[in-house]
Amino acid sequence: MHRFRIGVLTSGGDCPGLNAVIRATVCAAHNLGWEVLGFIDGYEGLLSPVNYKILTPENTVGITSVGGTIIGTTNKGRFVAKSGHGEKAVIPAAVIDEAKRTIADLGVRALVCIGGDGSLTTADQLFENGVPCVGVPKTIDNDISATAMTFGFDSAVQCVADALDRLHTTAASHKRVMVLEVMGRYAGWIALHGGLAGSADSILIPEIPFSYERLAGFVDRRMGGGADATLIVVAEGARAEGGEFETLHVDVKGEARLGGIGHRVADEIAKRTGRETRAMVLGHLQRGGAPTTLDRILGTRFGVGAVQLIQEGKFGHMVSYLNYHIGAVTIKEAVGQLKCVKPEGQMVETAKAMGISFGT
Ligand code: F6P
């Protein structure tokens, strides 16, 4: 008879801090005498050919500081429960049944599902179908409700701030306008926090539609007033008033890959102001590399918290970070709606008080 066994998996887009959660889950579980199976490539590892590896404190040494995930992930596959903003898809019964069989055959008593909005929606559907799941909120976008922060966000913000610091010196040398496109499909947290940390002059986010005319006016006044550079951060999901998302590509299921708004903004500014303007897309650099210390600590606390949820039998719950405290909320509460920037909130107010333009 084997020991009390739990499974852990990482699902959806990767982000810095996943390995910290894995390491903490393994160590906390081992302290209780439990065994941990790491399912490979997210929920897909639960389906034939079943794919997992036994994780131990020994074979996870040193991973807390490493980006990515040692057990792989996917944002495709047979378990996708959300195809777009708020659109819930039902996972086929045959897929759920197969996953349940795997869990029963392996004697797995609980599953730690580390994922964003879509992957946690999958966890909740599994839970509703009798799989004892607990969730850990992950995403660089920081757009999951019922938690003040997700791990990965701080690392992405650090990446944006570093990029802006670099762009500033080159922009100032040439008296240029620089536009930096960052991730954030529906929520502008990365742009807002990264922009503040990196001293951007303008921040454009999905929650606050902007006007090219007013943005160009702002740039012209700044540069005309003697500013040596203007730095604009734009979230990939930002839109002009009445405008559409800029998309790179729409897949067969109708889900769009966003991108292009940075170059569009740069073109419009150059056209309207006649000033030299350059654009760059930060892209997946924001998801790669080592997690910041904050994300390592948050990830570690989440991993330990997830094991505690299992101990307490709180299935269908997710660890959350509120008021510096790790607590629990139902997964349903967290995935019901995305946590977006409040246009009237304190962060936007702070940015405005600094003279930062939202293009309005
Ligand atoms: O949800 C995280 C995220 O990084 C988004 O900000 C971005 O739009 C998306 O993932 C990119 O996904 P992919 O890795 O499939 O290009």
Side-chain angles (χ1 to χ4, degrees), residues 98-174:
E98 192 180 336
K100 285 173 79 169
R101 263 197 312 279
T102 302
I103 288 165
D105 290 350
L106 292 170
V108 168
R109 311 280 284 275
L111 204 54
V112 177
C113 305
I114 311 171
D117 185 57
S119 305
L120 290 172
T121 301
T122 298
D124 202 45
Q125 285 195 33
L126 288 175
F127 168 68
E128 278 177 350
N129 284 279
V131 179
C133 293
V134 299
V136 177
K138 160 245 66 154
T139 168
I140 63 165
D141 297 341
N142 198 35
D143 59 2
I144 299 182
S145 294
T147 181
M149 216 196 270
T150 51
F151 68 90
F153 172 60
D154 188 60
S155 304
V157 168
Q158 183 66 55
C159 178
V160 173
D162 288 345
L164 286 171
D165 290 348
R166 287 168 185 270
L167 288 176
H168 193 102
T169 58
T170 171
S173 304
H174 291 267

Side-chain angles (χ1 to χ4, degrees), residues 54-339:
I54 307 259
L55 300 174
T56 66
E58 292 73 32
N59 68 17
T60 56
V61 165
I63 65 168
T64 299
S65 59
V66 180
T69 163
I70 61 161
I71 48 178
T73 186
T74 179
N75 53 10
K76 312 247 164 338
R78 291 159 284 183
F79 283 89
V80 174
K82 262 196 183 168
S83 50
H85 195 11
E87 291 152 30
K88 194 169 165 182
V90 177
I91 303 166
V95 170
I96 293 184
D97 287 347
E98 192 180 336
K100 285 173 79 169
R101 263 197 312 279
T102 302
I103 288 165
D105 290 350
L106 292 170
V108 168
R109 311 280 284 275
L111 204 54
V112 177
C113 305
I114 311 171
D117 185 57
S119 305
L120 290 172
T121 301
T122 298
D124 202 45
Q125 285 195 33
L126 288 175
F127 168 68
E128 278 177 350
N129 284 279
V131 179
C133 293
V134 299
V136 177
K138 160 245 66 154
T139 168
I140 63 165
D141 297 341
N142 198 35
D143 59 2
I144 299 182
S145 294
T147 181
M149 216 196 270
T150 51
F151 68 90
F153 172 60
D154 188 60
S155 304
V157 168
Q158 183 66 55
C159 178
V160 173
D162 288 345
L164 286 171
D165 290 348
R166 287 168 185 270
L167 288 176
H168 193 102
T169 58
T170 171
S173 304
H174 291 267
K175 306 227 167 359
R176 280 176 174 162
V177 179
M178 285 280 180
V179 183
L180 179 67
E181 180 181 311
V182 302
M183 285 185 170
R185 297 170 68 87
Y186 307 109
W189 295 109
I190 296 176
L192 183 55
H193 284 237
L196 257 189
S199 302
D201 303 300
S202 172
I203 301 174
L204 308 175
I205 57 175
E207 296 87 342
I208 306 180
F210 61 92
S211 137
Y212 283 117
E213 202 53 44
R214 287 190 286 272
L215 182 63
F218 169 79
V219 170
D220 228 15
R221 279 194 300 281
R222 261 186 65 77
M223 299 302 272
D228 58 1
T230 297
L231 262 55
I232 301 171
V233 181
V234 53
E236 61 186 348
R239 274 167 295 171
E241 287 161 359
E244 297 290 319
F245 282 133
E246 292 288 331
T247 53
L248 290 174
H249 155 90
V250 179
D251 70 17
V252 279
K253 287 189 190 152
E255 196 181 355
R257 268 188 66 208
L258 301 188
I261 187 70
H263 284 91
R264 175 81 200 276
V265 167
D267 287 349
E268 294 285 343
I269 287 174
K271 205 166 67 194
R272 290 164 197 258
T273 67
R275 301 199 182 264
E276 236 194 332
T277 306
R278 297 285 187 271
M280 79 155 294
V281 180
L282 200 50
H284 290 78
L285 287 176
Q286 294 159 94
R287 291 230 305 251
T292 58
T293 50
L294 194 151
D295 280 336
R296 296 178 200 192
I297 294 166
L298 187 58
T300 300
R301 294 179 73 188
F302 274 167
V304 170
V307 169
Q308 281 166 356
L309 287 187
I310 294 173
Q311 242 187 321
E312 292 162 11
K314 282 193 162 165
F315 301 115
H317 281 69
M318 171 192 100
V319 286
S320 88
Y321 182 64
L322 290 171
N323 298 324
Y324 300 98
H325 186 80
I326 305 295
V329 295
T330 60
I331 297 178
K332 255 183 207 49
E333 195 182 333
V335 299
Q337 67 179 60
L338 286 183
K339 181 183 70 188

